Amino acid sequence: TFGNKFLNVKQYLRTYGWKDCGYTLTQTDIDAINFGKVPPCVLSDGTHLKNKVAGCVTNEILKRLYSNGVISSYTLIDITTLT
């Protein structure tokens, strides 16, 4: 219904968000993904996203806003400075 205007954050983190953040999946992460959950490597405490991951999600949102013509320019967050 919403097409590219909707970002399913859970799906993003399960499919390629972890890779965008530079993480390598462990067996625990793979098991979580196969069970329909986000990989634990992206979580700081089992519930909240790590700062680096929040930066990756923000960058994905910025890209979508730009591609949908909502914003005319953007600067990506430098996730290398985040933990």
Side-chain angles (χ1 to χ4, degrees):
T1 302
F2 297 105
N4 195 35
K5 294 180 181 176
F6 174 74
L7 174 62
N8 183 330
V9 174
K10 181 179 177 182
Q11 182 179 350
Y12 166 71
L13 293 173
R14 290 178 60 224
T15 54
Y16 58 91
W18 57 268
K19 192 183 309 182
D20 288 351
C21 295
Y23 295 114
T24 301
L25 296 179
T26 64
Q27 188 59 50
T28 302
D29 295 317
I30 294 167
D31 292 343
I33 290 170
N34 289 337
F35 194 65
K37 300 191 177 275
V38 298
C41 67
V42 303
L43 303 174
S44 62
D45 60 4
T47 302
H48 300 97
L49 298 178
K50 292 179 178 178
N51 290 335
K52 185 178 196 176
V53 178
C56 288
V57 170
T58 301
N59 285 341
E60 191 65 22
I61 292 168
L62 288 169
K63 291 177 200 173
R64 296 232 181 167
L65 289 171
Y66 179 77
S67 69
N68 286 314
V70 176
I71 58 177
S72 59
S73 66
Y74 64 97
T75 302
L76 292 177
I77 293 172
D78 180 6
I79 62 164
T80 63
T81 63
L82 303 173
T83 57

